[in-house]
Amino acid sequence: MADAECLDSCSSEPDEEQGVVSVVEHADAPGVAAAARKGESKWAILRQKSHQLKLCFHRQHSYPWIQLAGHAGGFQVDVDPHWILKQSDALEKAALQDLQGDILEPFTPKFGGLTVKEGVEFVQMGNLLNGFKDASVMDCKIGVRTFLEADVASSKPRLDLLAKMTEIAPSAPTAAERETGITKLRYMQFRETLSSTSALGFRIEAMNVAGVAESKSDIKKISSRDHVLATIRKFLNGREDIKAKFQARMHDIRAALETSKFFATHEVVGSSLLFVYDSRGKADIHIIDFGKTIPREHPLHNELWDASTLNHADGYLIGFANLAAVIADA
């Protein structure tokens, strides 16, 4: 059954509780009887219809899943509403495997292994929005650097990056840069000054409040602490109970980071905290996105990154502390 057909055949009214609904059609019903006249087993038809109805219910009611940011097409839904499929990445796959058994594991998406669909490998991950109703979601990218050092190793000036910079901020390039182009490092650092990454060690990557998404172009320009504070207040929408739950969860995550073997042996770049809550008071935070997390013998989580020495610092704890402080003021 195609997605459109499935949705058209289902009720548009949401169910209060999520789960699997199986509707068994009577064996003498017209559709079943007609199929039987064609030589098909009535029970085979019933099983097929039951499967289609289950799949339909999953697609409509059990996927309160929103891809806030990231590469389009990188995610797919699974028939089981407890899981999503994310296109496999070597670094993220390794990180999720290393997290198994670590004290941080409960604060990350469940890892269900690997699966291949049409020749493409996917990681099966826990659906962090399952069980929420009309969820509000905020993705905060943590750390003073959002790119790998290897990604900016080239010192070759590029005119295409100059064009991107000029499109965003026409006055940003220097006179010399307008002639030769800019390096990827220059461009990445420029992008991070537009957000709060440079000043606070974290930035709001995306936000969706009860189904209404914030403009991505506006989100990218949130740079000052006051602007971040106002945005988080908008996200919380006056819910002091949700704020208290987020603070308690962040306290638990911070305690786990202190003793985590994984955190002590990995450089964590480009990872986010995913904040989720709903109108019923359910709230949670998980650490997500490990596509730029690499093993590092002595990672510097509480230091600023030095571009001249490439000191491997990710400043994760700097951003985490600043985000916790903003939420406390929200």
Side-chain angles (χ1 to χ4, degrees), residues 106-185:
F107 302 101
T108 62
K110 290 182 179 179
F111 177 58
L114 305 172
T115 186
V116 176
K117 295 182 65 176
E118 299 179 354
V120 179
E121 185 180 71
F122 289 86
V123 175
Q124 190 178 45
M125 305 170 65
N127 177 6
L128 300 178
L129 297 183
N130 185 59
F132 287 89
K133 184 177 178 63
D134 298 326
S136 294
V137 187
M138 180 173 66
D139 179 324
C140 291
K141 195 169 290 293
I142 310 297
V144 299
R145 170 168 55 95
T146 62
F147 52 87
L148 294 174
E149 290 176 337
D151 292 341
V152 294
S154 174
S155 58
K156 179 182 177 180
R158 291 170 50 180
L159 291 174
D160 60 325
L161 295 180
L162 172 66
K164 288 183 177 182
M165 174 185 279
T166 304
E167 182 179 357
I168 298 169
S171 61
T174 65
E177 288 173 338
R178 292 180 189 279
E179 296 293 328
T180 61
I182 59 174
T183 65
K184 188 170 184 179
L185 173 60

Side-chain angles (χ1 to χ4, degrees), residues 1 6 9-10 20-25 46-59:
M1 182 182 291
C6 176
S9 66
C10 288
V20 176
V21 169
S22 299
V23 179
V24 178
E25 188 171 350
L46 288 172
R47 284 195 296 270
Q48 181 183 16
K49 286 180 177 291
S50 178
H51 169 74
Q52 290 173 345
L53 286 163
K54 288 179 182 180
L55 181 59
C56 175
F57 184 75
H58 281 315
R59 282 177 176 163

